[in-house]
Amino acid sequence: AWRSAHEGVAWSIESQTNVVGSSRQDQTLRFAQRGQEAPKVDLADYLITLRAGRARLSLGHVNAGTNRHLMNGFGSRGVTLATDMGPTTVTLSALNGSSIVGWNNPLGLAEERHRVTAAALGTELIRQRPGALRVELSLLDGSLLPQTSFTQGAVVDAEESRGAGLQVSASTPDQRMRFTVGYARSRFTNPARDPQLLGDTAVRPVRPETRSSQFVEVGVGLLQNAQVRLLGATSLNAAYRHERIDPLYRSVAASTQADLQQNAFELNGNVGLLSAQLTHARSHDNLDEVLSVLRTLSRQTAASVALPLTSVARLRRVAKWLPALGYSMGHTHQFAAGTPTNGDFRPTDLPDQVSLTHNADAQWQPAGALRATYRFSSSDQDNRQPTRELADFAARTHAMTLAIALGACEVSVEASSERQLAKERGEKSNVRRLGLGVTWRPWHATSIIALMNTVNAHDASRPTGSRNNEARFEVSQGLMPSGGVSRGQLFLRYALTAARVPFADAVPAELAWQRQWTLSSGVSLRLF
C-alpha cells in the first residue's frame, strides 16, 4: 500500500495505491479471469485526487451519482470532475461498466461500449441557508457488455440505459420539518451482443422500454426535548416514505427492484431515558394488475425500546449493578392478493406466511473491569398455505458473555445455546457453543491473543452429533515506535481447527476427525 499527499498554496494532490502479490498462481488477483496468464503482482485499486481552487479531479477507483433510482454511489475505475460555482455544484463522471483490477486499462475508459457516463447539477435555491431548498438534476448514458466484475461469476447480458432524474430536498432552519422528493425516467434495452447466449435459436429482439420511478420522504419533529411533567424531556418524530418503481424500469447504474410500490410510516422518540421506535411498511407488486400474474402483498411491523437503568437518577445507589435493557420485535406477513386467472395456480402455490421475531438483551458494567451481557432471540415462521399448514419453523437462542480486565490482561467467556424445530418433519436440533479469549499486553507495543472455542451440534434424527474446535494464538509487536506511535507491526499467528463429522450412510454412524493447522506471519511498515 502506498499513500502520499502534496500541498501547494492553491492546490493539493492525494494518492493511494494498493498492489497485491501472490507466489501461488491460483491465489493471484485475476486468476478467475486469466488463469495461468494472471500476473502474480497486480494492481488492486488506486485513487488520485487533484484539487485546484474550486475544482476537484479524481482518477482511479471512484464513486459517482446521488440519484436513488438512476445512479446512486456507482463504484468502478474511472474519472470524475467536480467544481463549485457559489451555491451550484457541477459533476461530470465517466466510469467502467463493472469493477476491474489490473495494470491494463488504467483509467477504465478503454471500451466505449462498456462505460457509464453521467452529469449532475446541484444548486441551493436559498443561498443564505444551505439545505433550505436544494435541487439536483442528473443525466445518465450507460452501456454494458456481457462482462462481470472480476470477483463475480454469473451469466449476464448486454444492457443499455439512458435517463434523467430530478431530486428536490428542503428543510426548516431547526430541521423539525424536512422532505425529499425524487423522480427518474429511464430508457432501457438489451442489445443482442453475445452470440453464445443466442446460439442457433431465433430470438425475438427485446423492445426498448421507457419507464419511471419516484419516491417521497417526509420527516416531522412533533416534539423536541419538551418538558413533560412526571416524564421529563420528551421527543417525538414522525416520518413517511413512499416509493414506486414502474414495471420493467431499469438503470445500469442503480440497483432497483422494478414493479414494486412501498409505503412506510415511522414514529421514534424518547420519554426521559426510555427510547422507542415503531415502523409499519406495506408493499405490493404487479403494479399493472396483470390478471394472469401473481400479486403479492407484504405487511411489516417492527418495534424496539431501550432503557439504560444505570442512568436512572432515583436508583443511583444501586444503578451500577443494574443493566441497560433492550428489546425489539418484528412481524411480517406476506400473502397473495388472489388467485391469478389462466395461470395454473393451485391454492398451495399461493404464498401466505407469517414471520415473528423477538430479541432482548441486557448489559451490565458494574465496574470498569467487569462486563456482562445476556441475549435472547426467538423466531417463528408460520406457513398458512393449504396442505402446508405444518411446514413451520421455530428457533430459540440464549447467549451470555462475561469479560473481566485484570491489569494488562483481559479474559472473556462466551456461551450460547440454540434450538431449532422443523415442525412438519418433527426434526429437532441443538447447537451449543463455548468460547474463551485472552488478550495480554505485557508492553506498550506488544499484544498476545489466545482464542479457543468449541461448537457442538446434535440432530435428534442422528445418534451422534458433530463437533468443531478452533484455537488461535497470535503475537504482534509494534516496530520503530516514534512519539508513542508505531511505525509498523510484525505478527505471528498459529491456528488449529478440528472437526468431527458423522458419516450419514454408516450404521451406526461413524465419526471422523479432520484437523488442519496454519502458521502465518506478516509485517507492515509506514515509511513517512
Side-chain angles (χ1 to χ4, degrees):
W2 169 268
R3 296 175 181 265
S4 67
H6 316 268
E7 293 187 8
V9 176
W11 60 271
S12 66
I13 299 178
E14 297 179 359
S15 71
Q16 61 181 52
T17 305
N18 291 295
V19 178
V20 175
S22 175
S23 59
R24 294 179 55 183
Q25 191 69 39
D26 60 347
Q27 298 294 326
T28 55
L29 199 58
R30 285 186 286 171
F31 179 77
Q33 289 182 326
R34 303 183 58 180
Q36 297 299 323
E37 297 181 358
K40 290 189 174 182
V41 178
D42 217 344
L43 176 64
D45 62 80
Y46 80 97
L47 177 62
I48 300 174
T49 303
L50 169 63
R51 294 180 175 86
R54 295 182 176 181
R56 181 177 68 256
L57 176 66
S58 298
L59 310 174
H61 286 72
V62 296
N63 293 278
T66 58
N67 189 284
R68 178 179 301 184
H69 297 147
L70 194 68
M71 185 175 185
N72 187 17
F74 184 81
S76 186
R77 185 179 292 182
V79 179
T80 63
L81 174 63
T83 182
D84 297 327
M85 297 177 291
T88 302
T89 301
V90 179
T91 305
L92 304 176
S93 308
L95 295 84
N96 193 72
S98 59
S99 180
I100 60 173
V101 295
W103 304 103
N104 54 322
N105 196 5
L107 293 180
L109 307 178
E111 178 55 67
E112 182 180 0
R113 296 183 300 172
H114 196 62
R115 185 186 303 169
V116 175
T117 58
L121 172 67
T123 184
E124 299 285 349
L125 298 183
I126 302 178
R127 188 170 183 173
Q128 296 78 7
R129 187 170 67 84
L133 182 60
R134 179 175 177 82
V135 178
E136 298 181 7
L137 174 66
S138 302
L139 301 175
L140 171 71
D141 185 357
S143 176
L144 304 183
L145 292 173
Q147 300 176 4
T148 60
S149 302
F150 75 101
T151 58
Q152 181 184 11
V155 178
V156 296
D157 201 359
E159 299 177 346
E160 290 182 357
S161 73
R162 293 177 176 86
L166 181 67
Q167 289 189 174
V168 180
S169 58
S171 64
T172 58
D174 56 2
Q175 299 294 313
R176 293 191 66 169
M177 296 187 65
R178 56 200 179 276
F179 85 89
T180 303
V181 58
Y183 177 83
R185 191 160 180 83
S186 176
R187 178 180 175 84
F188 176 81
T189 186
N190 285 111
R193 290 179 178 169
D194 191 350
Q196 295 184 1
L197 289 179
L198 300 178
D200 299 330
T201 305
V203 178
R204 183 176 179 178
V206 177
R207 183 179 63 185
E209 295 285 349
T210 301
R211 297 301 177 101
S212 303
S213 68
Q214 62 190 34
F215 75 91
V216 177
E217 292 184 351
V218 180
V220 180
L222 304 176
L223 295 174
Q224 286 189 345
N225 295 322
Q227 295 297 324
V228 180
R229 188 176 181 181
L230 302 179
L231 297 179
T234 302
S235 298
L236 181 62
N237 302 299
Y240 167 72
R241 294 185 296 273
H242 164 79
E243 183 176 43
R244 178 189 171 92
I245 305 175
D246 286 348
L248 302 180
Y249 177 90
R250 179 83 168 91
S251 173
V252 298
S255 298
T256 57
Q257 182 178 347
D259 195 15
L260 182 68
Q261 178 171 308
Q262 302 180 81
N263 293 280
F265 309 86
E266 179 180 320
L267 287 173
N268 68 80
N270 66 276
V271 179
L273 297 174
L274 176 67
S275 60
Q277 182 176 1
L278 176 64
T279 304
H280 179 71
R282 308 167 72 90
S283 65
H284 68 271
D285 54 12
N286 191 9
L287 302 185
D288 283 343
E289 299 184 2
V290 180
L291 297 179
S292 60
V293 175
L294 178 68
R295 189 176 196 183
T296 305
L297 308 182
S298 178
R299 305 289 184 261
Q300 294 178 304
T301 302
S304 64
V305 293
L307 177 61
L309 295 178
T310 53
S311 302
V312 178
R314 297 179 181 180
L315 303 175
R316 58 181 179 271
R317 293 184 178 180
V318 295
K320 69 176 183 178
W321 299 102
L322 299 178
L325 302 176
Y327 169 77
S328 64
M329 64 82 64
H331 181 276
T332 302
H333 186 193
Q334 293 178 320
F335 57 99
T339 303
T341 59
N342 300 324
D344 293 332
F345 281 88
R346 301 169 301 172
T348 189
D349 298 327
L350 303 178
D352 190 358
Q353 178 177 294
V354 176
S355 299
L356 181 63
T357 61
H358 298 274
N359 294 280
D361 64 85
Q363 301 180 32
W364 292 267
Q365 193 166 356
L370 180 64
R371 301 190 307 276
T373 303
Y374 169 75
R375 297 183 300 275
F376 168 78
S377 64
S378 169
S379 63
D380 291 275
Q381 179 178 304
D382 179 14
N383 283 289
R384 300 179 177 181
Q385 300 156 279
T387 73
R388 296 211 63 204
E389 292 88 350
L390 296 179
D392 301 336
F393 299 90
R396 304 288 185 272
T397 301
H398 300 267
M400 294 191 65
T401 302
L402 180 64
I404 185 171
L406 304 173
C409 183
E410 181 176 285
V411 181
S412 63
V413 179
E414 298 182 8
S416 65
S417 175
E418 179 180 357
R419 295 183 179 182
Q420 298 181 352
L421 171 63
K423 298 180 180 179
E424 187 176 36
R425 299 187 299 270
E427 295 180 355
K428 298 180 181 181
S429 62
N430 297 316
V431 179
R432 293 181 174 86
R433 179 182 180 274
L434 180 63
L436 173 65
V438 179
T439 301
W440 181 34
R441 296 179 176 85
W443 300 284
H444 173 71
T446 304
S447 296
I448 301 175
I449 301 175
L451 300 173
M452 293 170 286
N453 68 75
T454 179
V455 179
N456 291 278
H458 183 265
D459 190 332
S461 62
R462 295 183 177 182
T464 57
S466 63
R467 174 179 295 181
N468 291 273
N469 299 330
E470 180 181 359
R472 183 165 68 91
F473 182 78
E474 179 179 329
V475 179
S476 61
Q477 174 64 51
L479 303 177
M480 296 182 294
S482 175
V485 179
S486 177
R487 288 287 183 177
Q489 188 181 63
L490 173 69
F491 75 87
L492 180 66
R493 181 183 302 126
Y494 171 78
L496 171 66
T497 59
R500 187 185 67 177
V501 182
F503 291 101
D505 55 351
V507 182
E510 299 177 359
L511 298 177
W513 279 98
Q514 299 175 350
R515 294 180 175 85
Q516 174 180 306
W517 64 268
T518 59
L519 184 65
S520 57
S521 62
V523 61
S524 63
L525 296 175
R526 185 159 59 92
L527 302 180
F528 304 104

